[in-house]
Amino acid sequence: MQGQCTIDASHAESQPAKNCKLVDPTKEWKRRSPFWDHYSFSIVKGKDGKLVRYATCIHCHVTKYIADPKYGTSNAKKHLDLCDAYQAYLAANPLPTPEFDQKVFCRMFTDAIMYHSYPLSIVEHVKLREMLTYLNSKLRHITRNTILKYCLLEHKRLKSMLHEILADVNSRIRFTCDCWSACTSRGFLTLTAHFIDNNWNLKSHILNFRYFPPPHRGVDIYLFVVGLIKEWNLEGKTFSMTCDTAGSMDVMVARLKSDLQTFGTLPLGGRFFHVRCCAHILNLIVQSGMKVIDASILKVPETVNYIAGSDNRLVLFEKCVVDSKSNFVGKLLIDCATRWNSTYQMLKRALEAKDALNLFAIVDTSFDFGLSADEWNVVDFVCKFLESFYNITVMFSGSDYPTANLYFRNIVAIEKLLVVAHTHTVASIQSMATDMMEKFEKYWSDYSVLLAIAVLLDPRYKMHFVKTASGKLYIHAEVEVKVQEIYNAFVELYKFYDQSTSSSSTVTSLQCSTSTTDYSMSSMFEDFEGGDMSVGGVESSVDSYLNSPLVPRNTESFNILEFWKSQASTFPVISRMAKDVLVVPITSVASESSFSMGGRVLTKYRSALRTDNVEAFVTTQNWLYGYLKDDEVQECFEVMKEVQPDDIDFDSLPMEEQ
């Protein structure tokens, strides 16, 4: 190792190697090598007056070395090989050698295959076998059929455990369902269960990733799904089904709801059973707006394609980045016509490189797609407009926190965005907002009552937020009707849970009141937090909860499930409602994640896998490790961690053209 310096205890201090900069010895140093366990450390002042960390062998107490991460461990290791005192220590304290267990090896290899989606044939790879034999000569090599048996045994064991968990859980099960076509053109249907376990932890498990032969009509999907639900004995514990907006899924949900009603356990006769995927609806809304897009926006992909189309132009652009003293880092992105979020990413990256692109338009005389200042303003507005949709989509797609309570206030934010964009001075943006508003009204003209109830179950918002948000968008009479409808549904749901637990709580009606104050979107939260929370004069469980003080929104790391766990004795019926309602998935992203996992298991190089083995691999991987994310999903996941459920900044939403 370059620069390793040694000194004898009787000699003067040696100097570091040339051009080797030492780390500050006073700072904590993570010593990962086990060789350092046999050295003691001291910090002394060198000849040049600088502090140096030394390591001294604890066995011979003679040899010293400069101990620094820049120097490595080579000399320290070599010394131990030659140190008589250390060798005597090893002879008196031999290192324990664990007994090799073939079954443990097979189980560990099974875990590796499940975690990394390795092909079964990996156990027969020649060089891997040579390496394993070198590590332990007692190893008996196995075939792909043997490791497959271990994988299937693990799947069977985990499936049995999940059966017991679902049978024992005291909350209802929420499902997401979707269909997928593999690279082999075979269709698969995935059914995912979402629930809160008895310790109030949010759980999401893929129950089935089953081969689904054609035809794929709504009736066929219904027969297939109801069979899977019965396979898990969950007919009497179902709460809701979340799926996309396809007509076949509507048919499936309608028939499934009718079938499950025969058990008499669907809350309020299944009124809240069908939940449409919000991510799909958001995608439809934005895609409709992208069809009517300003010419200024179209110049951006043309610019990116022009620069990316030639190595010379790429080099020239990089030079423009330097010459313009731009802070742009990375590369320009090309959008995908079928993915609006890629358009947002493209615009965002182009705005970061705005100075460099303007300089490029001047330097390259063949470049015809330069944007004027006004056109850049349009690009900036559309980018901020799409950014709000992007952040809300990412928030809705979370899987490690409840999302149902996020629905209502973010749908209100979306409608406000569209209303503001509709008044923009640029005609193309007005036209875009008009098309998006038409699609919005088609799917969300009536906000889901179930997901509005979830806002009432959020102790940071409750009824006054519903009043405030509705008051921004509707006239006084409509606000009263909508608020009363949500409250009545809350009361009905309370009665259903109250009767199921033989509770004697009395529920009273709500005396609605609304405010005529002209609120702005940016002050929505501040306004409602200081408002009158009175919703009734009779002290019932419902009124007692709704009249209780709000939990401050700025409470750090607020956990809504932990809150209701702590309130189970104070509001036993409402806490049971919260346990079921808050975990209703508002997107079918869990199904999309299972398709990503299926795509790693069933590839064009592993297309001969049996369909039942594909299901075993996908579900077992999920049961063991959750939703392992590929690079693309991981990027989205990182954004999701940055954009927490309460981090949407309504002040940053584009309210009007400046």
Side-chain angles (χ1 to χ4, degrees):
M1 181 69 67
Q2 181 187 9
Q4 182 68 53
C5 303
T6 65
I7 65 169
D8 188 88
S10 60
H11 289 74
E13 301 165 353
S14 62
Q15 297 301 316
K18 188 177 181 179
N19 299 327
C20 185
K21 185 179 180 181
L22 294 178
V23 175
D24 185 356
T26 60
K27 292 184 178 180
E28 189 64 25
W29 173 29
K30 294 182 180 179
R31 295 179 288 273
R32 297 182 176 88
S33 174
F35 298 108
W36 291 124
D37 296 339
H38 300 278
Y39 288 85
S40 60
F41 300 91
S42 59
I43 300 176
V44 298
K45 185 177 293 186
K47 291 181 179 180
D48 56 0
K50 296 182 180 179
L51 297 178
V52 181
R53 181 192 291 113
Y54 285 105
T56 305
C57 176
I58 63 175
H59 300 287
C60 65
H61 305 288
V62 174
T63 307
K64 288 184 179 181
Y65 298 95
I66 294 180
D68 189 275
K70 297 290 185 181
Y71 280 37
T73 60
S74 296
N75 281 355
K77 179 182 177 182
K78 290 177 182 178
H79 167 74
L80 293 179
D81 292 337
L82 301 174
C83 180
D84 293 335
Y86 175 70
Q87 297 302 323
Y89 167 81
L90 283 184
N93 303 277
L95 296 175
T97 303
E99 187 67 25
F100 176 74
D101 189 326
Q102 181 77 17
K103 291 184 178 180
V104 172
F105 165 76
C106 292
R107 286 196 292 268
M108 293 182 69
F109 216 131
T110 298
D111 288 345
I113 287 175
M114 292 301 177
Y115 186 87
H116 296 287
S117 299
Y118 290 142
L120 296 174
S121 60
I122 190 174
V123 298
E124 298 175 351
H125 290 182
V126 175
K127 291 302 178 181
L128 179 63
R129 284 188 167 189
E130 289 179 0
M131 181 185 69
L132 294 175
T133 301
Y134 170 76
L135 292 174
N136 197 310
S137 59
K138 295 181 180 180
L139 170 67
R140 300 192 310 275
H141 294 294
I142 57 178
T143 65
R144 68 182 71 190
N145 289 331
T146 301
I147 199 65
L148 174 61
K149 290 179 181 178
Y150 273 91
C151 292
L152 296 181
L153 284 173
E154 181 72 354
H155 171 74
K156 183 178 180 181
R157 181 183 70 86
L158 294 174
K159 186 173 183 179
S160 177
M161 290 176 58
L162 186 55
H163 262 290
E164 295 176 2
I165 292 173
L166 292 174
D168 183 59
V169 72
N170 56 19
S171 66
R172 293 177 178 272
I173 310 299
R174 278 68 59 185
F175 293 106
T176 54
C177 177
D178 209 345
C179 296
W180 176 65
S181 180
C183 62
T184 59
S185 299
R186 293 205 168 195
F188 287 82
L189 184 143
T190 180
L191 184 68
T192 307
H194 309 263
F195 60 94
I196 298 179
D197 65 15
N198 295 341
N199 293 320
W200 284 83
N201 296 314
L202 178 60
K203 300 294 182 181
S204 176
H205 294 301
I206 301 173
L207 300 185
N208 297 97
F209 193 85
R210 189 70 54 87
Y211 169 58
F212 182 31
H216 297 164
R217 300 169 301 181
V219 175
D220 303 297
I221 299 175
Y222 151 71
L223 293 173
F224 201 78
V225 170
V226 76
L228 297 179
I229 292 176
K230 290 181 178 179
E231 178 182 311
W232 289 90
N233 300 320
L234 297 176
E235 311 95 296
K237 302 185 74 170
T238 303
F239 185 85
S240 67
M241 173 68 75
T242 303
C243 51
D244 61 27
T245 57
S248 57
M249 287 297 182
D250 291 344
V251 173
M252 180 273 292
V253 171
R255 287 181 174 254
L256 181 61
K257 181 175 74 171
S258 178
D259 195 16
L260 294 175
Q261 277 181 320
T262 59
F263 293 93
T265 56
L266 284 181
L268 306 186
R271 188 192 309 176
F272 305 140
F273 181 71
H274 189 188
V275 180
R276 297 180 183 274
C277 175
C278 294
H280 280 83
I281 297 175
L282 275 175
N283 182 61
L284 292 174
I285 291 173
V286 179
Q287 287 286 10
S288 65
M290 292 293 99
K291 295 176 182 177
V292 187
I293 199 166
D294 190 81
S296 305
I297 306 300
L298 295 177
K299 283 187 176 183
V300 178
E302 291 173 344
T303 297
V304 175
N305 286 322
Y306 177 81
I307 294 174
S310 166
D311 191 42
N312 290 333
R313 291 195 288 266
L314 279 172
V315 172
L316 179 59
F317 172 72
E318 292 171 357
K319 186 176 184 301
C320 290
V321 172
V322 176
D323 293 343
S324 64
K325 298 180 180 180
S326 172
N327 295 325
F328 178 72
V329 178
K331 61 181 181 179
L332 298 172
L333 299 179
I334 301 176
D335 70 335
C336 175
T338 58
R339 297 178 57 190
W340 67 265
N341 55 325
S342 68
T343 302
Y344 158 68
Q345 297 283 8
M346 175 192 67
L347 297 180
K348 180 181 178 183
R349 194 63 64 89
L351 284 167
E352 293 172 356
K354 175 182 174 180
D355 294 338
L357 289 174
N358 286 336
L359 180 59
F360 182 87
I362 297 173
V363 174
D364 190 330
T365 57
S366 302
F367 183 67
D368 299 326
F369 311 114
L371 280 76
S372 65
D374 290 338
E375 289 174 327
W376 277 116
N377 290 335
V378 173
V379 171
D380 183 59
F381 179 90
V382 173
C383 184
K384 290 179 179 178
F385 182 75
L386 293 179
E387 181 181 19
S388 301
F389 282 88
Y390 179 79
N391 289 339
I392 291 173
T393 300
V394 170
M395 184 187 299
F396 279 175
S397 303
S399 59
D400 55 351
Y401 53 83
T403 55
N405 56 314
L406 310 177
Y407 170 89
F408 188 85
R409 65 181 188 269
N410 284 292
I411 297 304
V412 171
I414 290 171
E415 187 163 7
K416 184 66 176 180
L417 279 170
L418 296 178
V419 170
V420 170
H422 196 270
T423 62
H424 200 278
T425 56
V426 177
S428 59
I429 293 180
Q430 290 184 18
S431 180
M432 178 182 71
T434 299
D435 286 4
M436 295 174 71
M437 182 62 80
E438 290 178 359
K439 192 70 71 172
F440 178 92
E441 292 176 349
K442 177 181 178 181
Y443 290 106
W444 280 333
S445 57
D446 293 323
Y447 298 149
S448 172
V449 175
L450 171 65
L451 299 176
I453 289 175
V455 178
L456 301 186
L457 292 170
D458 191 327
R460 298 166 295 177
Y461 299 96
K462 296 196 281 192
M463 183 58 76
H464 192 77
F465 178 84
V466 176
K467 295 180 187 178
T468 304
S470 300
K472 299 176 187 299
L473 301 171
Y474 304 104
I475 61 175
H476 180 81
E478 290 179 343
V479 171
E480 290 185 340
V481 172
K482 288 184 177 293
V483 171
Q484 188 67 52
E485 177 187 5
I486 293 170
Y487 179 80
N488 290 341
F490 188 87
V491 169
E492 287 186 65
L493 193 61
Y494 178 90
K495 288 180 179 179
F496 174 85
Y497 280 87
D498 187 26
Q499 292 170 359
S500 65
T501 56
S502 301
S503 176
S504 59
S505 299
T506 303
V507 185
T508 60
S509 61
L510 166 68
Q511 302 298 324
C512 295
S513 62
T514 59
S515 172
T516 57
T517 304
D518 183 18
Y519 296 98
S520 64
M521 196 65 183
S522 61
S523 60
M524 174 183 289
F525 295 129
E526 290 79 359
D527 290 341
F528 91 84
E529 284 183 329
D532 179 16
M533 292 303 300
S534 177
V535 295
V538 179
E539 288 297 323
S540 66
S541 294
V542 171
D543 294 329
S544 177
Y545 163 67
L546 292 178
N547 284 322
S548 62
L550 294 176
V551 173
R553 286 189 58 252
N554 57 0
T555 302
E556 291 187 5
S557 56
F558 173 77
N559 188 318
I560 192 169
L561 297 183
E562 286 293 332
F563 171 84
W564 280 112
K565 180 180 180 180
S566 66
Q567 297 295 313
S569 58
T570 306
F571 302 110
V573 178
I574 300 180
S575 68
R576 287 194 60 211
M577 292 169 54
K579 203 171 190 181
D580 287 342
V581 173
L582 290 175
V583 194
V584 172
I586 59 177
T587 71
S588 58
V589 169
S591 298
E592 301 290 343
S593 299
S594 67
F595 299 154
S596 297
M597 296 168 66
R600 292 192 294 270
V601 172
L602 191 62
T603 68
K604 62 180 180 179
Y605 303 108
R606 302 173 66 189
S607 57
L609 273 176
R610 288 175 40 156
T611 56
D612 54 341
N613 290 341
V614 173
E615 179 177 30
F617 291 149
V618 172
T619 54
T620 303
Q621 185 184 84
N622 174 255
W623 299 340
L624 284 173
Y625 306 112
Y627 295 99
L628 294 177
K629 300 171 176 61
D630 53 22
D631 294 339
E632 180 180 344
V633 182
Q634 182 65 34
E635 180 181 351
C636 180
F637 181 71
E638 294 299 329
V639 175
M640 195 185 307
K641 291 193 295 186
E642 297 173 4
V643 184
Q644 293 300 321
D646 295 303
D647 286 349
I648 289 291
D649 182 8
F650 287 91
D651 292 331
S652 67
L653 300 182
M655 304 307 299
E656 59 184 15
E657 187 185 20
Q658 300 297 326

